[in-house]
Amino acid sequence: MKVADLTIAPIGGAVTAPAGFRATGVACGIKKSGLDLALIVSDRDASAAAVFTTNRAQAAPVIVSKAQLAASAGRARAIVINSGCANACTGDAGADTARAMVEATARHAHCANVEVLVASTGVIGVELDCDVVTSGIASAAAALDRDGGPSAARAIMTTDPFPKEAAVEVTAATGAYRIGGIAKGSGMIEPMMATMLGVVTTDAAVAPALLQRALTAAVDVTFNAISVDGECSTNDCVFALAGGASGVQIGDAELPTFIEALRRVCEALAIGIVRGGEGATKLVTVRVTGARSDEDAKRAARAIANSPLVKTAVHGADPNWGRLVAVAGRAGVEFQLERCAIAIGDVELFAHGRPYDDRAPEASRHLQGTDVELHVDLGTGGRGRARMWTCDLSADYVRINAEYRT
Amino acid sequence: MKVADLTIAPIGGAVTAPAGFRATGVACGIKKSGLDLALIVSDRDASAAAVFTTNRAQAAPVIVSKAQLAASAGRARAIVINSGCANACTGDAGADTARAMVEATARHAHCANVEVLVASTGVIGVELDCDVVTSGIASAAAALDRDGGPSAARAIMTTDPFPKEAAVEVTAATGAYRIGGIAKGSGMIEPMMATMLGVVTTDAAVAPALLQRALTAAVDVTFNAISVDGECSTNDCVFALAGGASGVQIGDAELPTFIEALRRVCEALAIGIVRGGEGATKLVTVRVTGARSDEDAKRAARAIANSPLVKTAVHGADPNWGRLVAVAGRAGVEFQLERCAIAIGDVELFAHGRPYDDRAPEASRHLQGTDVELHVDLGTGGRGRARMWTCDLSADYVRINAEYRT
């Protein structure tokens, strides 16, 4: 997608950067301390789209939000998200609570039940107190603010080391519009906790079907192209709301620019999740080229991004190209050892069937930085390519996930 | 397979437990110190079978041994294995060295070139010194011994914390025979090193096609059912030799008992590899039941065995059943949350759609041991089942793999 850089400029404000949205984060007592409930409301009827976890164990709010979107045919006015409890594996009581969250939000945000989407993140298998969360929703509705986006970004955090927010302003031929977003990562310190959540809003007017197409396209190369530890949660979801307050209408002609702007917001949020990954000290960009197809490239990139041997080597700044060869070879895609090429940063360490070990010190210096690039050409001569982001695997990851209760 | 226990008894002696085999391990200078070359020779013509790595980046000895087995139509007299250098990603020179190892072994063990199999394990991308290894082969041939199996087991170690050997004596209606084996694990401390190797020998007489069928069946539920870190190497292989010195002939009728005995030897070796896994402090047996098919069960078991969140929870003795639910749900197989069941040891922690958190302390006590059982019933009502062995993920794993060169 070729889009002139000057038409898409980064701005502040998160999900309230676009006109026509209010948001807030409040502390209602689900967590022992800190913000734990976010509410995002569109002042106008809005198109809605969503991408949900593919996990077959789905939390109650995921099931409820899917049904809501289907019933509303892609319209929504409010998104309510609690942190501190995933409301997953909680049976009928959990489903009741998710529905009660929808009803309380509709009542306090003055919209129809069917116009509310709900998400939860936190501990799995623990009941979410219905009274606590619904009275939190009442407080949040009273605190909604045109500048509340950053506060909502903080309220959806669990063990994230920092909040994730991003926004852009698009200057298009037909006028200016904005896209804003917030996300939380999979900082899985709490026992049984694992969720990636994102919300993007825009004041462009986008029909539900187009918004869904744009969201799916953007998520595919951003949120779906990151991995902290290869785990996929019971609660993952990304929501999009398009309210149209800017007056700019997105049709088929404007869609490529809209998708590119949405992609930039999602990419910033997704990279933030990786940087804030558990125990992460480095952001690792994995690029795979020379694959038979983009699908093959993606599969190889994912195998590399999830390889504990690659991730520990990066952590130790060890330019261990042999591990990249071994992972590419086992990724289940076509790979030609004699024609493949492996580079760390700009330093080619294996090519033309032979190693260049004299370059190892230079590659090691690159790995000592916080932003690391790994490049594997699979050597098939094909044009398939993919990019993924991951982080290094540190002893802190193990400590965080092993020693929580000890 | 129902086989009376009393017909298969564990014995000592490793690959030289069966009659008609000699072996040894020598130090020839590939490693800085210690045994680094193993030679195993059958005194009689022997059937041969092998299972090789599925990695598309294959080391020179793997390519050579495959060609040897094809050319000999499943016959072999000698197996030569060096440690300290994987002879992988070494181009034409590496292929020449692997062939030179075959020729030197044939010359000194007095058999035909085509009757020699070769394997290497150690650092990837480093040249194997041809003179060093071939003179090592001459020394090894002079040191071959009827009791040399355990010495061969030590010579194929790289960073394994202990040697892996096993042997059984089978008392069958038609007479007694023995099966012995050695293996090495994937202790990947050395940079770019990753190999699982195994050799099994028997003094039963087994035609090549039957031997291959038996080996494939046994490897499938043993060596192929273990995981230390989900990595698959460029050099993995398991060889089997059947010399027939016992006079016992294995035909179709005797095959089930033979496979069961072979499975026990391979299982003992495979479990030894997991116990000796990098940073491992616990042997974890993962059982999956209630799957649509055995394939589905295997896929779910593999996802659990490779999940960093499960492995860190086990390391920390945290009875974190939510992580097992989440991994089972994302494994890409049918899974029914409401009907699934999760147990740690004998303690059911989630069943009938609800958690039993009061049992967590009992499950935690089980996890504090060195032998841990995880059981997931996928809740589909199907009969598919699988078993895998893995180890916990410790900070030592990260340290070993990250800090080698720092």
Side-chain angles (χ1 to χ4, degrees), chain A:
Chain A
M1 230 167 291
K2 297 247 186 279
V3 178
D5 266 353
L6 66 153
T7 65
I8 303 174
I11 55 172
V15 284
T16 46
F21 290 92
R22 288 172 300 147
T24 193
V26 298
C28 69
I30 304 167
K31 290 182 189 167
K32 280 172 203 154
S33 67
L35 302 182
D36 52 16
L37 189 98
L39 188 58
I40 300 135
V41 172
S42 172
D43 295 333
R44 313 155 55 105
D45 283 344
S47 300
V51 176
F52 295 102
T53 179
T54 56
N55 199 304
R56 298 195 188 204
Q58 302 202 330
V62 170
I63 295 166
V64 168
S65 288
K66 276 186 178 173
Q68 292 286 95
L69 260 187
S72 73
R75 311 292 305 174
R77 287 287 293 271
I79 299 172
V80 59
I81 304 175
N82 75 277
S83 56
C85 176
N87 194 13
C89 304
T90 41
D92 293 339
D96 289 345
T97 301
R99 279 188 293 263
M101 288 172 72
V102 164
E103 284 156 24
T105 303
R107 194 161 61 249
H108 294 290
H110 311 295
C111 63
N113 272 353
V114 77
E115 293 176 314
V116 179
L117 299 170
V118 57
S120 299
T121 176
V123 185
I124 294 177
V126 170
E127 232 172 86
L128 177 57
D129 189 309
C130 193
D131 291 339
V132 166
V133 71
T134 50
S135 68
I137 289 168
S139 315
L144 284 168
D145 195 294
R146 262 300 289 139
D147 297 319
S151 155
R154 286 200 305 279
I156 63 174
M157 289 167 65
T158 47
T159 54
D160 303 62
F162 51 84
K164 267 72 75 179
E165 52 169 275
V168 297
E169 182 160 60
V170 183
T171 309
T174 52
Y177 62 89
R178 292 173 165 196
I179 302 176
I182 61 174
K184 73 164 294 286
S186 41
M188 288 169 273
I189 291 177
E190 293 193 276
M192 312 181 200
M193 205 287 296
T195 304
M196 193 277 293
L197 292 178
V199 177
V200 286
T201 55
T202 180
D203 50 16
V206 194
L210 279 192
L211 185 63
Q212 184 64 53
R213 206 204 298 173
L215 182 66
T216 301
V219 166
D220 195 44
V221 294
T222 56
F223 291 112
N224 278 348
I226 60 172
S227 175
V228 169
D229 53 9
E231 306 282 7
C232 156
S233 113
T234 51
N235 290 53
D236 290 346
C237 45
V238 180
F239 295 122
L241 293 184
S246 69
V248 177
Q249 183 78 38
I250 306 297
D252 284 328
E254 295 78 20
L255 197 62
T257 302
F258 181 75
I259 290 177
E260 173 59 16
L262 186 60
R263 190 194 65 73
R264 293 201 197 177
V265 170
C266 290
E267 179 177 303
L269 296 171
I271 286 178
I273 288 172
V274 175
R275 279 198 200 277
E278 290 178 326
T281 71
K282 294 169 198 293
L283 173 71
V284 183
T285 305
V286 177
R287 285 189 309 124
V288 172
T289 55
R292 277 271 177 249
S293 65
D294 287 350
E295 267 318 298
D296 269 17
K298 198 185 281 186
R299 200 165 162 185
R302 189 168 293 275
I304 292 165
N306 285 330
S307 160
L309 286 179
V310 170
K311 290 158 74 97
T312 49
V314 167
H315 183 62
D318 180 357
N320 204 326
W321 59 267
R323 292 185 183 173
L324 290 164
V325 169
V327 176
R330 72 158 164 85
V333 302
E334 189 165 334
F335 171 73
Q336 295 189 11
L337 180 58
E338 294 306 309
R339 295 175 57 201
C340 80
I342 310 285
I344 291 178
D346 294 330
V347 188
E348 202 155 68
L349 291 170
F350 185 81
H352 317 296
R354 76 174 197 87
Y356 295 90
D357 281 331
D358 52 318
R359 301 172 184 170
E362 195 186 341
S364 182
R365 274 193 299 278
H366 173 75
L367 291 174
Q368 278 155 24
T370 57
D371 287 54
V372 163
E373 301 236 345
L374 306 178
H375 179 202
V376 173
D377 189 289
L378 296 175
T380 72
R383 290 187 181 185
R385 54 172 57 231
R387 184 168 58 163
M388 269 198 77
W389 294 276
T390 188
C391 55
D392 54 337
L393 174 58
S394 69
D396 273 348
Y397 176 90
V398 176
R399 242 171 259 125
I400 289 165
N401 284 296
E403 296 174 12
Y404 178 75
R405 303 212 224 188
T406 56

